[in-house]
Amino acid sequence: MSIRGRGGRSALTRRIRYRSAAGKQVKESGFATQDKAIARLTEVYNAKKAAPRGQAKAERIAKYGAMRFDEYAAQWKAGQRDLGPASVVHLESLLAIHLLPLLGSRRMSTFDHKVVEAFILSMERNGVGLAAQANAFDKLKAILLDAHRLGLFDDNPVSGIKPPQYNPKRVVIPSSEHLRDIRTGG
């Protein structure tokens, strides 16, 4: 980046030269003062710094950010090759019953911690059990973590969220003597 002055004392104009995000050299002129030229260079520098690092990342953000959650979840599910048949059935059930009705039409780029918190609160309002809430949250967390790894979110939307806590009560398995007493009493 450079600044050059041109002309006589009374008709002094400034021009700047810099590389654009595409890597091409760009020249701009007509700045009345050096401060205005420096301000423009600073603006260009900050815009380049805030832009996605690479073209591939920008394309991923454009492609997946505009995608609806139900489409993204279907692609994510197809990539889960390590799931057994029972786990696939459980995942499809969680998606169909809990995740897709509430989040299916939402664009992936619109997820943040407030959306995830609202999802948990709506499950609580609808009377969904804690075990189902915890399972649905875990699947949502896995899907959003995958999207975060792709670069769709600057901050992970599930970080800082308190997940639903399912603490099952201790199970007591009756002994054969207790079973015999129950049978005779019944």
Side-chain angles (χ1 to χ4, degrees):
M1 294 184 191
S2 67
I3 302 174
R4 296 190 180 224
R6 190 172 119 192
R9 280 186 175 236
S10 60
L12 191 64
T13 61
R14 306 279 190 258
R15 62 182 172 174
I16 59 174
R17 187 172 54 199
Y18 59 90
R19 295 239 174 239
S20 69
K24 299 195 182 229
Q25 186 168 323
V26 178
K27 293 180 184 178
E28 292 182 20
S29 61
F31 298 100
T33 65
Q34 186 172 355
D35 290 337
K36 289 184 180 181
I38 290 172
R40 174 65 181 138
L41 277 177
T42 305
E43 180 183 317
V44 169
Y45 174 76
N46 289 336
K48 281 173 76 174
K49 192 173 181 180
R53 289 279 178 213
Q55 186 65 24
K57 183 176 179 182
E59 290 172 0
R60 280 195 314 267
I61 290 172
K63 178 181 177 184
Y64 294 112
M67 192 178 279
R68 291 190 346 237
F69 178 78
D70 57 354
E71 297 167 344
Y72 189 87
Q75 284 188 4
W76 175 82
K77 186 179 85 169
Q80 303 303 306
R81 295 181 300 278
D82 59 338
L83 296 179
S87 297
V88 170
V89 169
H90 180 68
L91 173 61
E92 289 173 350
S93 173
L94 284 173
L95 285 170
I97 295 171
H98 300 293
L99 295 169
L100 296 181
L102 295 173
L103 302 171
S105 62
R106 179 172 281 280
R107 300 283 176 200
M108 289 301 293
S109 61
T110 64
F111 276 91
D112 61 6
H113 70 282
K114 290 290 189 187
V115 173
V116 176
E117 192 70 42
F119 169 72
I120 294 170
L121 290 174
S122 67
M123 284 196 301
E124 289 174 357
R125 268 193 315 270
N126 293 338
V128 176
L130 281 175
Q133 285 182 33
N135 286 331
F137 177 77
D138 286 344
K139 293 306 173 202
L140 177 63
K141 182 178 178 179
I143 293 169
L144 294 179
L145 179 62
D146 183 67
H148 178 61
R149 286 182 185 145
L150 276 176
L152 293 183
F153 313 116
D154 292 332
D155 298 323
N156 189 350
V158 293
S159 66
I161 300 289
K162 183 179 178 213
Q165 296 294 318
Y166 173 60
N167 297 320
K169 299 201 182 338
R170 187 169 180 259
V171 176
V172 178
I173 300 173
S175 66
S176 58
E177 297 168 359
H178 285 127
L179 288 174
R180 195 175 21 252
D181 290 342
I182 291 170
R183 286 185 191 128
T184 57

